[in-house]
PDB file of all heavy atoms in Angstrom:
ATOM      1  N   ALA A  43      -5.593  29.521   1.059  1.00 96.00           N
ATOM      2  CA  ALA A  43      -4.254  29.047   0.659  1.00 96.00           C
ATOM      3  C   ALA A  43      -3.229  29.812   1.539  1.00 96.00           C
ATOM      4  O   ALA A  43      -3.446  30.973   1.918  1.00 96.00           O
ATOM      5  CB  ALA A  43      -3.971  29.347  -0.822  1.00 96.00           C
ATOM      6  N   LYS A  44      -2.076  29.118   1.827  1.00 96.00           N
ATOM      7  CA  LYS A  44      -1.100  29.694   2.752  1.00 96.00           C
ATOM      8  C   LYS A  44       0.308  29.233   2.276  1.00 96.00           C
ATOM      9  O   LYS A  44       0.492  28.139   1.747  1.00 96.00           O
ATOM     10  CB  LYS A  44      -1.358  29.122   4.140  1.00 96.00           C
ATOM     11  CG  LYS A  44      -0.361  29.588   5.230  1.00 96.00           C
ATOM     12  CD  LYS A  44      -0.765  28.923   6.531  1.00 96.00           C
ATOM     13  CE  LYS A  44       0.048  29.336   7.675  1.00 96.00           C
ATOM     14  NZ  LYS A  44       1.522  29.301   7.490  1.00 96.00           N
ATOM     15  N   VAL A  45       1.317  30.137   2.423  1.00 97.00           N
ATOM     16  CA  VAL A  45       2.646  29.723   2.135  1.00 97.00           C
ATOM     17  C   VAL A  45       3.083  28.609   2.977  1.00 97.00           C
ATOM     18  O   VAL A  45       2.981  28.652   4.246  1.00 97.00           O
ATOM     19  CB  VAL A  45       3.614  30.909   2.228  1.00 97.00           C
ATOM     20  CG1 VAL A  45       5.039  30.423   2.108  1.00 97.00           C
ATOM     21  CG2 VAL A  45       3.328  32.005   1.204  1.00 97.00           C
ATOM     22  N   TYR A  46       3.504  27.515   2.372  1.00 95.00           N
ATOM     23  CA  TYR A  46       3.853  26.265   3.104  1.00 95.00           C
ATOM     24  C   TYR A  46       5.323  25.864   2.966  1.00 95.00           C
ATOM     25  O   TYR A  46       5.925  25.339   3.819  1.00 95.00           O
ATOM     26  CB  TYR A  46       2.927  25.194   2.651  1.00 95.00           C
ATOM     27  CG  TYR A  46       2.870  24.024   3.603  1.00 95.00           C
ATOM     28  CD1 TYR A  46       2.158  23.998   4.804  1.00 95.00           C
ATOM     29  CD2 TYR A  46       3.533  22.841   3.228  1.00 95.00           C
ATOM     30  CE1 TYR A  46       2.135  22.939   5.586  1.00 95.00           C
ATOM     31  CE2 TYR A  46       3.460  21.669   4.048  1.00 95.00           C
ATOM     32  CZ  TYR A  46       2.758  21.778   5.240  1.00 95.00           C
ATOM     33  OH  TYR A  46       2.704  20.711   6.103  1.00 95.00           O
ATOM     34  N   TYR A  47       5.881  26.164   1.739  1.00 95.00           N
ATOM     35  CA  TYR A  47       7.297  25.827   1.467  1.00 95.00           C
ATOM     36  C   TYR A  47       7.949  27.147   1.002  1.00 95.00           C
ATOM     37  O   TYR A  47       7.312  27.978   0.331  1.00 95.00           O
ATOM     38  CB  TYR A  47       7.360  24.885   0.286  1.00 95.00           C
ATOM     39  CG  TYR A  47       6.672  23.562   0.521  1.00 95.00           C
ATOM     40  CD1 TYR A  47       5.407  23.388  -0.026  1.00 95.00           C
ATOM     41  CD2 TYR A  47       7.240  22.513   1.232  1.00 95.00           C
ATOM     42  CE1 TYR A  47       4.732  22.144   0.100  1.00 95.00           C
ATOM     43  CE2 TYR A  47       6.624  21.232   1.406  1.00 95.00           C
ATOM     44  CZ  TYR A  47       5.292  21.096   0.837  1.00 95.00           C
ATOM     45  OH  TYR A  47       4.675  19.929   1.067  1.00 95.00           O
ATOM     46  N   GLN A  48       9.197  27.318   1.369  1.00 96.00           N
ATOM     47  CA  GLN A  48       9.892  28.526   0.941  1.00 96.00           C
ATOM     48  C   GLN A  48      11.370  28.287   0.862  1.00 96.00           C
ATOM     49  O   GLN A  48      11.935  27.379   1.548  1.00 96.00           O
ATOM     50  CB  GLN A  48       9.580  29.732   1.843  1.00 96.00           C
ATOM     51  CG  GLN A  48      10.059  29.554   3.309  1.00 96.00           C
ATOM     52  CD  GLN A  48      11.461  30.059   3.575  1.00 96.00           C
ATOM     53  OE1 GLN A  48      12.109  30.695   2.756  1.00 96.00           O
ATOM     54  NE2 GLN A  48      11.971  29.688   4.740  1.00 96.00           N
ATOM     55  N   GLN A  49      12.121  29.104   0.132  1.00 96.00           N
ATOM     56  CA  GLN A  49      13.570  29.024   0.045  1.00 96.00           C
ATOM     57  C   GLN A  49      14.063  30.514  -0.155  1.00 96.00           C
ATOM     58  O   GLN A  49      13.503  31.218  -1.017  1.00 96.00           O
ATOM     59  CB  GLN A  49      13.993  28.225  -1.133  1.00 96.00           C
ATOM     60  CG  GLN A  49      15.575  28.243  -1.281  1.00 96.00           C
ATOM     61  CD  GLN A  49      16.205  26.852  -1.326  1.00 96.00           C
ATOM     62  OE1 GLN A  49      15.566  25.838  -1.175  1.00 96.00           O
ATOM     63  NE2 GLN A  49      17.494  26.813  -1.509  1.00 96.00           N
ATOM     64  N   GLY A  50      14.940  30.964   0.645  1.00 95.00           N
ATOM     65  CA  GLY A  50      15.585  32.254   0.525  1.00 95.00           C
ATOM     66  C   GLY A  50      14.963  33.334   1.370  1.00 95.00           C
ATOM     67  O   GLY A  50      15.469  34.445   1.478  1.00 95.00           O
ATOM     68  N   LEU A  51      13.804  32.981   2.106  1.00 96.00           N
ATOM     69  CA  LEU A  51      13.228  33.942   2.946  1.00 96.00           C
ATOM     70  C   LEU A  51      13.662  33.768   4.377  1.00 96.00           C
ATOM     71  O   LEU A  51      13.915  32.578   4.840  1.00 96.00           O
ATOM     72  CB  LEU A  51      11.706  33.724   2.957  1.00 96.00           C
ATOM     73  CG  LEU A  51      10.949  34.005   1.697  1.00 96.00           C
ATOM     74  CD1 LEU A  51       9.484  33.514   1.748  1.00 96.00           C
ATOM     75  CD2 LEU A  51      10.984  35.549   1.360  1.00 96.00           C
ATOM     76  N   ALA A  52      13.860  34.801   5.166  1.00 94.00           N
ATOM     77  CA  ALA A  52      14.132  34.682   6.534  1.00 94.00           C
ATOM     78  C   ALA A  52      12.897  34.165   7.289  1.00 94.00           C
ATOM     79  O   ALA A  52      11.782  34.467   6.837  1.00 94.00           O
ATOM     80  CB  ALA A  52      14.524  36.080   7.121  1.00 94.00           C
ATOM     81  N   GLU A  53      13.084  33.381   8.328  1.00 92.00           N
ATOM     82  CA  GLU A  53      11.953  32.768   9.050  1.00 92.00           C
ATOM     83  C   GLU A  53      10.939  33.867   9.497  1.00 92.00           C
ATOM     84  O   GLU A  53       9.819  33.601   9.726  1.00 92.00           O
ATOM     85  CB  GLU A  53      12.419  31.917  10.149  1.00 92.00           C
ATOM     86  CG  GLU A  53      13.227  30.720   9.751  1.00 92.00           C
ATOM     87  CD  GLU A  53      12.309  29.701   8.973  1.00 92.00           C
ATOM     88  OE1 GLU A  53      11.152  29.530   9.327  1.00 92.00           O
ATOM     89  OE2 GLU A  53      12.917  29.105   8.028  1.00 92.00           O
ATOM     90  N   THR A  54      11.487  35.045   9.750  1.00 95.00           N
ATOM     91  CA  THR A  54      10.626  36.175  10.256  1.00 95.00           C
ATOM     92  C   THR A  54       9.980  36.985   9.169  1.00 95.00           C
ATOM     93  O   THR A  54       9.193  37.906   9.470  1.00 95.00           O
ATOM     94  CB  THR A  54      11.467  37.113  11.145  1.00 95.00           C
ATOM     95  OG1 THR A  54      12.562  37.562  10.366  1.00 95.00           O
ATOM     96  CG2 THR A  54      12.012  36.374  12.366  1.00 95.00           C
TER      97      THR A  54
END
Side-chain angles (χ1 to χ4, degrees):
K44 178 182 182 313
V45 170
Y46 196 76
Y47 304 98
Q48 64 88 11
Q49 175 129 356
L51 295 170
E53 294 295 322
T54 56

